[in-house]
């Protein structure tokens, strides 16, 4: 006679998990990964450390002392004062020009990218896929390849040597449009759009009152990318502008460096020190802008990781 054992008796005994095993597992770390992260951290921080240390030195100390340590006579405040007073305070004009170029370009590019990305994500029209593929293809085109055609076009329009010659090209951001299109597909529910249309809201009102709020984190991302790109842009203002009063910081500091190397008229012995100090001052607004906007960025990334 065959006896059938219960299923529970056939099952192997469950293994006991030692208390605190989960905590010990979370505390484990990889030494190669830690070393790699420290190398990446050093790669990003060492140039900033050199810039901070070099801005406290004179031109002679830049060549005669160790690059990553201070000299015997630090003069940061003297360099900062000399930078703002050199050439009748032209550095202040360059800094204000850069703030205007980067501010207008980043806000305008973010709004245009949000509008275009929302349109591609939520509307269907003839040729929409072809148009979006052209946008994706434009991401692969380097900006330097378009600089000369852009200059010829703006020369015909009479916009060369004006602020518009720097602002208008910076408003076009194919990567930002692609990013906003991908973000809008999930961040903007179709049910909210249909409810707003049933209530009688127009498309413009829906976009400015509802969609822009939902696209906030993506909007901040595009704004930060465009802000940094326009702030650090060198080649486009170099070929578009020939009036020193319209220069951004990048082109202005480059002209100072050229004066110091060539020993031109009006160049002082500490001109290279002023170039280094001006470079340090020019990155401060970018750091402040990132610290002010990162909370919107982080909150958006966190909210996107939780399904409703």
């Amino acid at each position: 006679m065959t006896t059938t054992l219960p299923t529970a008796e056939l099952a192997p005994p469950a293994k006991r998990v030692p208390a605190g095993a989960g905590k010990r597992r979370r505390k484990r770390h990889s030494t190669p990964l830690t070393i790699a992260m420290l190398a990446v951290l050093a790669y990003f921080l060492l140039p900033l450390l050199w810039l901070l240390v070099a801005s406290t030195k004179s031109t002679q100390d830049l060549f005669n002392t160790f690059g990553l340590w201070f000299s015997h006579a630090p003069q940061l405040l003297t360099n900062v004062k000399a930078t703002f007073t050199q050439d009748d305070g032209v550095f202040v004009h360059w800094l204000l020009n850069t703030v205007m170029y980067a501010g207008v370009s980043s806000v305008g590019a973010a709004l245009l990218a949000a509008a275009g990305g929302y349109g591609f994500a939520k509307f269907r029209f003839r040729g929409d896929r072809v148009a979006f593929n052209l946008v994706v293809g434009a991401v692969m085109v380097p900006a330097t390849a378009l600089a000369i055609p852009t200059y010829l076009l703006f020369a015909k329009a009479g916009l060369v040597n004006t602020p518009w010659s720097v602002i208008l090209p910076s408003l076009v951001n194919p990567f930002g449009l692609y990013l906003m299109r991908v973000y809008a597909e999930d961040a903007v529910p179709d049910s909210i759009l249909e409810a707003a249309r049933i209530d009688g809201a127009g498309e413009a009102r829906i976009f400015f009152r509802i969609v822009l709020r939902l696209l906030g984190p993506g909007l901040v991302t595009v704004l930060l990318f465009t802000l940094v790109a326009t702030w650090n842009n060198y080649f486009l203002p170099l070929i578009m502008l020939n009036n020193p009063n319209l220069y951004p910081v990048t082109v202005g500091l480059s002209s100072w460096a050229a004066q110091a190397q060539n020993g031109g008229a009006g160049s002082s012995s500490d001109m290279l020190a002023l170039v280094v100090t001006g470079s340090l001052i020019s990155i401060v607004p970018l750091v402040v802008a990132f610290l002010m906007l990162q909370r919107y960025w982080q909150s958006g990334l966190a909210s996107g990781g939780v399904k409703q």
Side-chain angles (χ1 to χ4, degrees), residues 90-102:
V90 70
F91 181 80
V92 178
H93 291 283
W94 296 341
L95 199 59
L96 293 177
N97 291 338
T98 307
V99 171
M100 180 187 66
Y101 298 154

Side-chain angles (χ1 to χ4, degrees), residues 127-205:
D128 56 345
R129 292 188 177 182
V130 176
F132 185 71
N133 289 334
L134 290 176
V135 172
V136 175
V139 176
M140 307 304 296
V141 179
T144 53
L146 302 176
I148 300 302
T150 303
Y151 173 82
L152 297 177
L153 179 64
F154 278 64
K156 289 290 184 180
L159 296 177
V160 174
N161 201 34
T162 64
W164 295 112
S165 62
V166 178
I167 294 175
L168 291 180
S170 302
L171 295 177
V172 181
N173 190 344
F175 175 74
L177 193 150
Y178 169 77
L179 184 66
M180 294 303 297
R181 191 254 188 183
V182 174
Y183 188 82
E185 287 183 346
D186 296 328
V188 182
D190 294 334
S191 58
I192 294 181
L193 300 179
E194 292 298 330
R197 291 175 182 137
I198 292 175
D199 290 340
E203 295 298 335
R205 185 178 180 182

Side-chain angles (χ1 to χ4, degrees), residues 3-11:
T3 304
T4 304
L5 296 177
T7 305
E9 296 181 5
L10 296 177

